[in-house]
Amino acid sequence: MEAQSTETTKNEYLIEIKNIKKEAVILEHTLDTQHQALERLFKLAEFTDNLADEAMIYNIKTAERQITKLIAIYRDLIEAISGLFTDIMSNHLNHLMKYLDSAALVISVPSLIAGLWGMNTGGLPGEHTKFGFLMMIIVSLVLALITWRILRSKKYND
């Protein structure tokens, strides 16, 4: 599970973690109930008197403590792996948003130029020539490439 958490963020692994968490919670509560039952039994003189060996009582208590500790450790590990999945998904989403923001910025430069050039106010450069549209396309592409180059040098498109 830990190895899969560093390689993928597929839903099937998240569902598997959810099921493991659920089972760990059930097991932990079952062991807590068992602990309470054992504590009550050990307080009863009839029960402890019927046990032939004092070492047996000690072994039962020790085993119960060890199991409780192991369950706590496993729950912590499950929580850590679950947090790792969440962090990986957030990281992937951050990179995607960074890329999309950079792409939107690069596309917005030619859109702004085309929008300004397309206004019906008169007096725009290239208005009365055959090459006005071509000039607008070239200027837009050059500015878009400059924007892309600036973002790439600042590593905003990673």
Side-chain angles (χ1 to χ4, degrees):
M1 183 68 84
E2 184 178 353
Q4 293 166 347
S5 71
T6 59
E7 296 174 8
T8 184
T9 56
K10 292 182 178 177
N11 285 343
E12 62 191 63
Y13 299 119
L14 295 175
I15 292 170
E16 192 174 334
I17 284 178
K18 177 200 64 104
N19 291 336
I20 291 172
K21 276 185 179 183
K22 183 176 77 172
E23 290 171 7
V25 167
I26 291 170
L27 183 58
E28 186 175 31
H29 285 283
T30 302
L31 287 173
D32 187 44
T33 303
Q34 178 184 351
H35 172 74
Q36 292 171 5
L38 284 173
E39 287 296 316
R40 284 190 208 119
L41 285 173
F42 287 135
K43 287 180 182 177
L44 295 175
E46 294 176 17
F47 181 76
T48 54
D49 290 343
N50 287 334
L51 288 175
D53 189 8
E54 186 70 29
M56 176 73 83
I57 295 173
Y58 177 77
N59 289 340
I60 291 171
K61 287 182 177 182
T62 303
E64 190 265 331
R65 279 193 307 270
Q66 288 174 341
I67 290 172
T68 303
K69 183 69 173 174
L70 279 175
I71 289 299
I73 290 170
Y74 284 130
R75 278 199 68 195
D76 289 345
L77 287 172
I78 291 167
E79 288 297 321
I81 291 171
S82 177
L84 180 62
F85 265 107
T86 302
D87 292 344
I88 289 171
M89 285 190 300
S90 294
N91 189 34
H92 286 303
L93 185 59
N94 286 342
H95 282 287
L96 177 63
M97 292 307 295
K98 209 167 153 183
Y99 175 79
L100 291 175
D101 285 345
S102 297
L105 185 59
V106 170
I107 291 171
S108 69
V109 171
S111 297
L112 176 65
I113 293 169
L116 292 173
W117 220 299
M119 293 176 149
N120 295 324
T121 58
L124 294 172
E127 180 180 14
H128 298 293
T129 66
K130 283 200 284 192
F131 301 108
F133 178 74
L134 183 60
M135 193 167 58
M136 187 265 307
I137 294 294
I138 291 171
V139 168
S140 295
L141 287 176
V142 167
L143 289 176
L145 285 172
I146 290 170
T147 305
W148 174 77
R149 195 76 167 138
I150 290 170
L151 289 175
R152 186 173 172 98
S153 71
K154 293 187 181 272
K155 300 190 187 270
Y156 286 153
N157 63 342
D158 286 344

